[in-house]
């Protein structure tokens, strides 16, 4: 079956290149993704895979380097004032959007206002400290803040700081045809098949980019992605499976790049979202959520599924983050899990539905969870779901437990606030704790790293009891590529940055 899938995918890749009219002289890079991105509107999108496309297509106000330090993007420099309640950005001049519009301070105001007011925007809680945006000069903009926000610049390195063309966005369909100012512009998309971008010849830094076209190919099965890479139908792919690392290293035509990532995988419990059944035990009693977590052996998951390459987790902050809390991951304790269920008045076996992304690796993790949880009295049903659909169901509250992760952010606020704050836009379980809200707000408003870490330590410790998310593991970012790909550098945020990347012949 695997060889048939590989052949089908390979032929499809060749056919799509021919159908798109690629000339032999054109330079094309083909990038494999683990799933199809959701909508291509940076203000409503939420998938990790969409961030790859945005990275190639859209400039951001600021970016990060390999050491997670903030560096200039469309903003060349910045300064806080008024005791941290204003942030002034000086903007890059000579930048055009893909439709020919000029990038300026008015464009920044349009985008930030849209992110704050658009119905369904998932960026609202990320930049909720912004009270108003003032254009003080053609290329100077001032953010007036409700209170100091130590995390704001970091949020602007991602989708909250992504700049769309105002005129095209106001009159067009961003999801179907986004218009940005990045090195590559949108050409076409076929859902579950491909996204094609082409070089933007008027890009302000075009000499750093060397491809005429970029093709993103969603292929959920990691083994099929690797087979296409080995066959020459992909040039680079994210998400090399841990079990395939040795295969890549042994192939003289391939190269491997690996970096400790910022992201995690977890189980999100539906506590109060949507039409939650009033007798849902996970909503009624945190002891049931803790019991399910205690039924799992995270070390065993790492060894069985990931050959020891991943890191067991109990929090949102990766070991690569200076805000990682040194709190031991609880070991598996089936007897304690049973005792917690009994104390909560639960009769076993308890039927549990878990949404799981429809790829082989996630299925394997789900099956290990299923087997482990059964020993503690949980009868687990795995609901395999396409990833974008899974996120939609999660957001709508149409689930009991959902297995989904987060790719992580350089500033800790970006990995916790939107998920654990009562008003967080990514708090899909609708967890609420006023004390957590206050600690998160205090940490966001505090620029002292030691004081922030103390606050986040309180948050992580309290979440061990409340358990809105059962964190499973931290994910390394593992890339495979043809050795003809040169100039690629892996970043902890896991994105593929095409600046300086080329294909040798």
């Amino acid at each position: 079956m695997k060889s048939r899938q590989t052949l089908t995918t390979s032929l499809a890749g060749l056919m799509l290149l021919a159908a798109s009219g690629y000339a032999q002289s054109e330079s094309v890079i083909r990038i494999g993704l683990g799933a199809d991105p959701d909508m291509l509107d940076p203000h409503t999108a939420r998938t990790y895979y969409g961030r790859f496309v945005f990275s190639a297509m859209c400039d951001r106000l600021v970016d990060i380097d390999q050491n997670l330090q903030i560096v200039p993007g469309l903003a060349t420099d910045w300064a806080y004032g008024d005791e941290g309640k204003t942030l002034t950005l000086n903007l890059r001049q000579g930048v055009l959007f893909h439709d020919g519009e000029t990038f300026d301070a008015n464009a920044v105001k349009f985008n930030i206002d849209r992110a704050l007011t658009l119905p369904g925007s998932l960026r609202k809680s990320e930049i909720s400290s912004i009270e108003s945006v003032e254009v003080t000069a053609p290329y100077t903009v001032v953010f007036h803040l409700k209170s100091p926000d130590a995390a704001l610049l970091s949020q602007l390195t991602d989708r909250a700081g992504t700049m769309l063309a105002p005129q095209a966005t106001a009159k067009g369909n961003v999801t179907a045809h986004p218009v940005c100012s990045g090195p590559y512009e949108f050409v076409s998309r076929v859902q579950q098949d491909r996204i094609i971008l082409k070089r933007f010849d008027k890009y302000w830094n075009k000499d750093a980019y060397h491809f005429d076209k970029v093709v993103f190919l969603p292929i959920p099965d990691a083994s099929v992605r690797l087979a296409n890479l080995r066959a020459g139908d992909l040039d680079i792919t994210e998400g090399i499976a841990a079990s395939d690392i040795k295969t890549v290293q042994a192939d003289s035509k391939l190269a491997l790049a690996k970096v400790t990532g910022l992201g995690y995988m977890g189980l999100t419990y539906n506590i109060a979202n949507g039409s939650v059944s009033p007798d849902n035990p996970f909503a009624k009693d945190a002891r049931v959520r803790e019991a399910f977590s205690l039924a799992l052996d995270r070390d065993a998951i790492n060894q069985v599924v990931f050959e020891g390459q991943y890191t067991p987790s109990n929090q949102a902050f990766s070991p690569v983050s200076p805000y990682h809390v040194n709190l031991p991951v609880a070991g598996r304790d089936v007897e304690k899990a049973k005792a917690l269920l009994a104390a909560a008045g639960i009769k076993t076996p308890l039927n549990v539905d878990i949404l799981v992304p429809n790829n082989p690796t996630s299925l394997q993790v789900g099956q290990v969870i299923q087997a482990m949880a059964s020993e503690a009295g949980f009868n687990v049903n795995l609901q395999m779901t396409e990833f974008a659909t899974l996120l939609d169901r999660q957001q709508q509250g149409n689930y009991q437990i959902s297995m989904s992760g987060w790719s992580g952010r350089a500033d800790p606020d970006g990995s916790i606030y939107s998920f654990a704050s009562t008003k967080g836009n990514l708090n899909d379980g609708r967890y609420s704790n006023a004390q957590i809200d206050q600690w998160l707000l205090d940490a966001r408003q505090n620029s002292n790293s030691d004081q922030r870490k103390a606050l986040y330590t309180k948050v992580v410790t309290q979440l061990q009891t409340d358990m809105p998310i059962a964190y499973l593991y931290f994910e390394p970012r593992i890339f495979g590529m043809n050795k003809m790909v040169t100039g690629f550098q892996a970043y902890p945020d896991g994105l593929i940055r095409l600046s300086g990347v080329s294909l040798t012949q």
Side-chain angles (χ1 to χ4, degrees):
M1 176 62 72
K2 185 180 295 182
S3 61
R4 182 180 299 174
Q5 285 181 297
T6 302
L7 178 60
T8 300
T9 306
S10 301
L11 290 175
L14 293 172
M15 291 174 65
L16 77 88
L17 294 178
S20 300
Y22 295 146
Q24 289 289 332
S25 60
E26 286 186 315
S27 175
V28 181
I29 187 166
R30 299 154 301 176
I31 301 173
L33 300 179
D36 197 34
D38 57 350
M39 62 281 294
L40 294 180
D41 182 338
H43 297 147
T44 58
R46 64 179 295 171
T47 65
Y48 169 52
Y49 306 101
R51 296 177 68 214
F52 286 94
V53 181
F54 291 130
S55 182
M57 187 172 61
C58 305
D59 281 333
R60 299 173 295 281
L61 289 173
V62 284
D63 201 354
I64 60 168
D65 63 17
Q66 286 181 290
N67 298 313
L68 303 179
Q69 299 300 305
I70 295 174
V71 296
L74 289 177
T76 56
D77 59 84
W78 50 87
Y80 283 96
D82 189 21
E83 298 182 335
K85 294 190 68 174
T86 63
L87 175 61
T88 301
L89 303 176
N90 291 314
L91 306 176
R92 192 177 300 279
Q93 300 184 34
V95 175
L96 294 177
F97 289 103
H98 298 151
D99 65 344
E101 294 179 58
T102 299
F103 168 76
D104 57 14
N106 286 314
V108 175
K109 177 174 172 56
F110 170 86
N111 277 275
I112 298 300
D113 287 347
R114 183 178 188 268
L116 287 170
T117 61
L118 180 72
S121 170
L122 297 177
R123 312 283 80 87
K124 291 178 182 178
S125 61
E126 296 174 357
I127 57 173
S128 60
S129 61
I130 298 178
E131 184 170 47
S132 64
V133 181
E134 180 186 7
V135 174
T136 59
Y139 291 94
T140 302
V141 63
V142 179
F143 297 161
H144 295 277
L145 310 183
K146 301 170 187 174
S147 57
D149 185 352
L152 181 57
L153 270 176
S154 181
Q155 296 288 10
L156 297 177
T157 67
D158 192 49
R159 288 165 293 198
T162 295
M163 296 290 105
L164 295 165
Q167 294 177 27
T169 299
K171 67 182 180 181
N173 183 344
V174 179
T175 300
H177 196 126
V179 180
C180 295
S181 68
Y184 298 98
E185 59 180 301
F186 181 83
V187 174
S188 63
R189 177 179 190 176
V190 178
Q191 294 280 352
Q192 306 297 328
D193 186 20
R194 66 190 185 272
I195 296 172
I196 299 176
L197 311 180
K198 69 177 181 179
R199 182 196 300 274
F200 179 46
D201 289 331
K202 296 181 180 179
Y203 184 59
W204 61 271
N205 191 28
K206 66 178 182 179
D207 291 342
Y209 295 85
H210 306 298
F211 301 104
D212 296 308
K213 286 188 171 67
V214 181
V215 182
F216 293 99
L217 298 166
I219 305 172
D221 190 324
S223 63
V224 176
R225 288 199 305 278
L226 176 57
N228 277 266
L229 179 67
R230 299 185 73 184
D233 297 321
L234 291 177
D235 301 302
I236 187 169
T237 180
E238 62 86 29
I240 291 290
S243 58
D244 290 331
I245 289 177
K246 292 180 182 178
T247 301
V248 175
Q249 292 173 330
D251 193 322
S252 61
K253 295 181 180 180
L254 302 183
L256 187 81
K258 178 183 175 185
V259 65
T260 301
L262 294 167
Y264 66 80
M265 179 62 70
L267 300 174
T268 297
Y269 298 101
N270 190 349
I271 297 173
N273 187 6
S275 56
V276 180
S277 171
D279 59 354
N280 177 5
F282 293 104
K284 292 169 58 178
D285 199 323
R287 290 175 295 184
V288 182
R289 303 194 291 270
E290 183 183 1
F292 195 86
S293 180
L294 285 171
L296 309 181
D297 187 332
R298 288 156 173 79
D299 286 317
I301 293 174
N302 180 36
Q303 295 300 326
V304 171
V305 183
F306 303 113
E307 299 192 1
Q309 294 288 331
Y310 285 28
T311 304
S313 170
N314 61 358
Q315 60 186 283
F317 309 135
S318 163
V320 76
S321 168
Y323 292 89
H324 177 77
V325 178
N326 188 20
L327 184 69
V329 177
R332 188 184 190 216
D333 193 334
V334 173
E335 293 308 312
K336 184 176 179 180
K338 290 179 178 179
L340 286 170
L341 290 177
I346 299 298
K347 294 182 178 180
T348 57
L350 176 63
N351 293 325
V352 179
D353 292 330
I354 303 181
L355 293 179
V356 179
N358 66 338
N359 64 72
T361 301
S362 295
L363 174 58
Q364 191 176 2
V365 173
Q367 290 171 335
V368 174
I369 290 173
Q370 186 180 52
M372 289 178 175
S374 67
E375 296 179 18
F378 296 95
N379 181 29
V380 174
N381 172 46
L382 303 179
Q383 299 179 333
M384 303 302 295
T385 310
E386 191 273 323
F387 190 59
T389 302
L390 177 147
L391 290 177
D392 183 64
R393 285 186 58 180
Q394 190 175 298
Q395 190 172 354
Q396 298 300 321
N398 183 19
Y399 76 103
Q400 190 173 29
I401 300 178
S402 180
M403 190 174 93
S404 63
W406 182 244
S407 50
R409 299 296 182 269
D411 189 276
D413 181 272
S415 292
I416 192 71
Y417 187 94
S418 291
F419 298 90
S421 169
T422 299
K423 296 182 179 180
N425 291 126
L426 300 176
N427 183 355
D428 292 332
R430 299 297 186 267
Y431 162 73
S432 181
N433 181 322
Q435 181 62 78
I436 291 286
D437 290 345
Q438 189 60 55
W439 286 333
L440 290 174
L441 182 61
D442 290 345
R444 175 177 274 193
Q445 295 177 357
N446 196 325
S447 60
N448 183 290
S449 58
D450 290 336
Q451 293 174 13
R452 293 186 82 200
K453 183 165 185 177
L455 288 163
Y456 286 125
T457 298
K458 291 181 179 180
V459 170
V460 168
T461 303
Q462 182 62 45
L463 293 182
Q464 305 304 302
T465 300
D466 296 352
M467 197 66 68
I469 298 174
Y471 299 98
L472 297 176
Y473 48 82
F474 295 113
E475 301 178 279
R477 299 305 177 189
I478 310 173
F479 302 90
M481 68 202 77
N482 191 304
K483 279 190 175 177
M484 291 191 297
V485 175
T486 62
F488 174 78
Q489 294 180 311
Y491 281 63
D493 65 359
L495 299 186
I496 294 175
R497 289 167 169 81
L498 292 174
S499 175
V501 177
S502 60
L503 278 169
T504 60
Q505 298 300 321

